[in-house]
Structures are given as structure tokens and as C-alpha cells.
Amino acid sequence: MIRLLARWLGTSALLLFVVSALTFVLTALAPGDAARVILGKNGTDEQYQALRAQLGLDDPLPLRYWHWLSGALHGDLGVSIYSQQSVTDMISGRLAPTLALVVGGLLFSAVLGIALGIASARSRGALSRATDVLSLLGVSIPTFWLGFILVIAFAVALPVFPATGYVDFASSPSEWARSLVLPVVTLGVGGVALIAKQTRDAMSKQLSLEYVNAMRAQGLSERSIVYRHVLKNAAVPIATVLGLLFTGLFSGTVIVENVFALPGLGGLVVQATVSHDIPVVEGVALVFALVVVLTNLVVDLSYGLLNPRTRMS
């Protein structure tokens, strides 16, 4: 366990540094800058140069990154170049919709995908082939296209759910849930197919082993064999896919939040990128990177709980 945590801390620190440095450099090298966005087309060259100096955009790139990094190490992500708001406050204000969307998408994918995978492994035949087809469709359908189809079907033709917007949970739990249904389904459909196929494959492998026949010979019920033994032994690869899916869903929020006009981190980073607001882009990238390293730790720790033989001293 100590070795696992030490390795996690080392790789996490390196990953966060690399992600922050690459994000800063790539955003800074993109055409245009924040000063030009703020002044617009009518700004003079003198005003442009003065604003660049005021915002610190004239400083060398390594120096600008060092200033940001030293502040981030002390918990200060800086202020937005465009709005002069605290980046930490901007992220915290947008974090709830993104987390609700991602967690909802993960639960939707996990519950439906595992159920479909178990049924496919037990029945084989047509349902197993259907799982393969579903997996192919799930990873092939563009997210934005699926979102538009769901809006047309369930917000326009059948006005069951709102097409856009987000309602805070504290204001109305029921409206909060309704505002998330279409975005969660849009985000989670691809994950359903992925988890269903992984669950089917892992359980099919376990069902073909001798210990399953031995338990059947001892008179254990099929339900007990499948859910208490086979599913537990197949849980490690499923947990791995769930971890990968959770981190992948954060990147998917960039598209889904813009399709459904949700005020989350995905929409924030798109706006910041367009306006070349480097501190905001850096802050959101750092949050996403932290999600990745924390998820990897949780997945690694879950291996020891699911399969004691994988525990590390």
C-alpha cells in the first residue's frame, strides 16, 4: 500500500506538471491573444500594445508559466484575463453541473451496461451478437448528433424534458433531475455499449472455468453462481473500464454542455479558449488532470478489494 501511494504521488506530480505545461504552451501559441479579443476590431495598435503590457502578455513564455505555476502551488490559480474574476471561483461555480452530468452518465452507463452484459453472457446467441452491434453503434454515433436527435424526439415532438438549461438542485430537485435526463443519456450511451461488451467478455471467460461447473455440481443456484462468484471474479476488468470511462466522460462534457447549454466546465473551457484566457484554460485542465490521477488511485485501490491477490504490500 505504501509503495502504491508513493508511486501514485510521483506519477501524479509528473502528470500534472506535463499537462499544465503543455496546456499553457499550446494555448499561448494559438493564433490571437486576449488583448485583441478584449479591444475588438476598433482598438488601435497603441491600445493593443498597452493592454498586452498591462496583462503581462509581453513577458517571455517561460516566465509567464512560472508565475502561474508558483501561484498554483500555493492554491492560487490566478484571475481571468478577460473578466478579472478569480479562476478558482469561476471553476467552483461551474463544477456542480459538470459533476452531476459525469456522475449521472457513469451511473447510467454502468447500470445498463452491466445488466446487458450479464444477460448477454448468460444467454449467448442472439443477445450476445446484439451486444457487439450495440458496442459498434455506441462508439460510432457522434455525441452532438445523438443530442440533437434526443432534443427533437423528447423536447420538441414529445415535450417531456427541457431541451436546454440547468436547474440547481437546491431550487427544485425534480426539475434538476429533468434538466439532466437528456444530457446524461447523450453522454452515457457510448459507455453503455463499452461496459456491456467488457462485462459480457469477462463473465463469459469466468463461466467457462471449471470452478463454475464444480459449484453447479454442488447444487448452488445459478443466480448465486452468477452474482456472488462469477461477477465478483470478473469485476477487475470491469472496474478498469469504469475508471477509464469516468475520465473520458469529462472530455465528452465539452460537447454535451454546449449542445444542451449547461453552465459547466466544458462550456467554460470553450469560452476561455476562444478568448485566449490562459489562466481559465489552465485551471480547467488542472481540474481534469486531478480527476484522472484520483480516478487512477481509486481504481488501483479497488483491485485489492475486488481481488485480494492483487493487493500490494
Side-chain angles (χ1 to χ4, degrees):
M1 180 65 71
I2 295 177
R3 260 188 296 174
L4 174 63
L5 291 175
R7 185 180 64 187
W8 175 78
L9 287 173
T11 56
S12 299
L14 179 61
L15 175 63
L16 293 175
F17 171 75
V18 171
V19 168
S20 65
L22 285 177
T23 302
F24 195 94
V25 171
L26 292 176
T27 307
L29 294 180
D33 60 27
R36 183 62 68 189
V37 174
I38 293 172
L39 290 175
K41 297 180 179 180
N42 296 326
T44 65
D45 187 62
E46 291 77 9
Q47 291 174 325
Y48 171 69
Q49 296 299 334
L51 185 57
R52 279 183 57 86
Q54 178 183 343
L55 296 175
L57 299 178
D58 284 341
D59 295 335
L61 190 59
L63 180 61
R64 290 162 56 193
Y65 175 70
W66 171 251
H67 288 160
W68 178 87
L69 182 62
S70 59
L73 291 174
H74 292 85
D76 180 14
L77 298 178
V79 297
S80 166
I81 294 177
Y82 192 74
S83 67
Q84 294 300 303
Q85 291 180 271
S86 167
V87 173
T88 303
D89 292 341
M90 294 176 69
I91 291 176
S92 61
R94 297 254 193 160
L95 189 58
T98 297
L99 284 179
L101 179 59
V102 171
V103 173
L106 182 68
L107 291 175
F108 174 79
S109 300
V111 172
L112 196 56
I114 291 175
L116 182 60
I118 292 174
S120 176
R122 296 182 65 181
S123 65
R124 304 178 184 273
L127 186 55
S128 181
R129 290 191 294 272
T131 302
D132 290 331
V133 174
L134 176 63
S135 300
L136 181 61
L137 290 175
V139 298
S140 302
I141 297 176
T143 304
F144 69 89
W145 182 84
L146 177 60
F148 289 142
I149 293 299
L150 291 177
V151 167
I152 293 172
F154 298 104
V156 179
L158 296 174
V160 181
F161 302 108
T164 59
Y166 175 80
V167 178
D168 188 70
F169 180 83
S171 301
S172 175
S174 61
E175 291 301 315
W176 169 81
R178 289 184 67 248
S179 69
L180 285 173
V181 170
L182 295 185
V184 162
V185 173
T186 301
L187 186 65
V189 162
V192 171
L194 181 65
I195 294 174
K197 190 174 188 306
Q198 181 62 58
T199 302
R200 190 274 312 276
D201 293 344
M203 291 200 61
S204 295
K205 180 179 179 181
Q206 291 295 321
L207 287 170
S208 65
L209 299 180
E210 289 298 325
Y211 79 91
V212 175
N213 293 329
M215 286 188 292
R216 286 170 177 160
Q218 293 174 1
L220 272 70
S221 67
E222 192 69 18
R223 182 182 182 87
S224 176
I225 294 173
V226 169
Y227 291 100
R228 295 186 58 184
H229 301 280
V230 173
L231 183 58
K232 181 179 179 180
N233 292 332
V236 169
I238 297 174
T240 302
V241 173
L242 287 174
L244 293 173
L245 177 62
F246 182 69
T247 57
L249 290 179
F250 274 89
S251 61
T253 60
V254 175
I255 296 176
V256 174
E257 287 179 3
N258 280 278
V259 170
F260 292 96
L262 299 180
L265 294 179
L268 178 64
V269 75
V270 169
Q271 296 172 7
T273 302
V274 171
S275 60
H276 303 279
D277 200 339
I278 296 179
V280 176
V281 176
E282 279 283 281
V284 176
L286 187 63
V287 170
F288 284 1
L290 282 172
V291 169
V292 171
V293 298
L294 290 174
T295 301
N296 288 338
L297 177 63
V298 172
V299 171
D300 286 343
L301 293 176
S302 71
Y303 291 160
L305 297 175
L306 297 171
N307 188 351
R309 290 175 296 180
T310 63
R311 291 177 183 171
M312 300 180 62
S313 58

